[in-house]
Structure formats: structure tokens, C-alpha cells
Amino acid sequence: MEELLKSLVKLKKTMLGLEANLGISDLNEVDKTLLLSITEVCEVNGDFSSKHLRQHELVKNIPSASYHRSLKSLQESGFIKKPKAQSRSKYFITSKFFGSEK
């Protein structure tokens, strides 16, 4: 059990370092979860639909109100945007996320 706890602490420290390197350490946990899940559901061009994101394994148990608040927060922080001429469920990930790598 003690080795498992040590491994978990080491993993947490590694995650904190990675989040800092990606420039997302100031985001809350739901925002981080959504943003990282977006990287798995987005197309090659960076587009994704909220429908596909909502079905992602890490996202599906987030309460609806928290999910929508987080989408709005990620838009306000410039990590995602809505294309002007698209339906309301379409978004794209911006270069702010990928451009923040050190």
C-alpha cells in the first residue's frame, strides 16, 4: 500500500509539472478535464462538437451545469472558440493551448 501511495504522489507531482508546462495550472479541474478531453475528440483541423465531447469517458459524469460553465470558461480564456457560421454545438481548439508548450 505504501508503494502505491508513493507512486500516486509521484504521478501527481508529474501532472502538476506538465500542467504548468502546458500553461493550464490556473484552470479548475473541470476546465482541465474538458480541455484535455477536447484534444482526444477534435478533428485534425481542431474542430470538435460538444456532442462528442460530452460522450468522452472523462467528461460524461460531469454535471450538465458544470460542463456548460466550463465550456464558457474555456471560451472566455481563449482556449476554444465557436466558428461564426457553425451550429451552436461546434467549436475549435485555438492555438493558445498548443502554442503554450515550452
Side-chain angles (χ1 to χ4, degrees):
M1 182 69 122
E2 187 175 324
E3 285 301 315
L4 287 175
L5 290 173
K6 286 181 181 181
S7 295
L8 185 59
V9 169
K10 185 177 179 181
L11 181 59
K12 182 66 173 182
K13 287 179 180 179
T14 301
M15 286 179 55
L16 291 174
L18 291 170
E19 289 171 358
N21 288 342
L22 288 169
I24 63 171
S25 28
D26 290 340
L27 298 178
N28 68 44
E29 290 303 313
V30 175
D31 289 357
K32 289 177 196 175
T33 298
L34 255 65
L35 189 56
L36 295 175
S37 299
I38 286 167
T39 65
E40 286 200 322
V41 300
C42 70
E43 302 292 328
V44 174
N45 64 1
D47 290 355
F48 67 95
S49 76
S50 60
K51 176 183 177 183
H52 289 124
L53 177 60
R54 195 68 177 119
Q55 296 169 350
H56 189 278
E57 180 181 357
L58 299 176
V59 175
K60 63 184 174 186
N61 292 323
I62 294 174
S64 185
S66 298
Y67 171 80
H68 290 288
R69 253 191 319 273
S70 183
L71 276 179
K72 184 176 180 179
S73 173
L74 290 173
Q75 286 179 77
E76 290 171 352
S77 14
F79 286 106
I80 63 172
K81 289 190 177 182
K82 290 177 78 60
K84 293 185 186 349
Q86 291 290 333
S87 71
R88 64 184 189 149
S89 68
K90 293 288 184 181
Y91 296 86
F92 65 92
I93 193 164
T94 68
S95 60
K96 178 177 180 174
F97 181 61
F98 295 107
S100 64
E101 293 183 22
K102 294 182 180 176

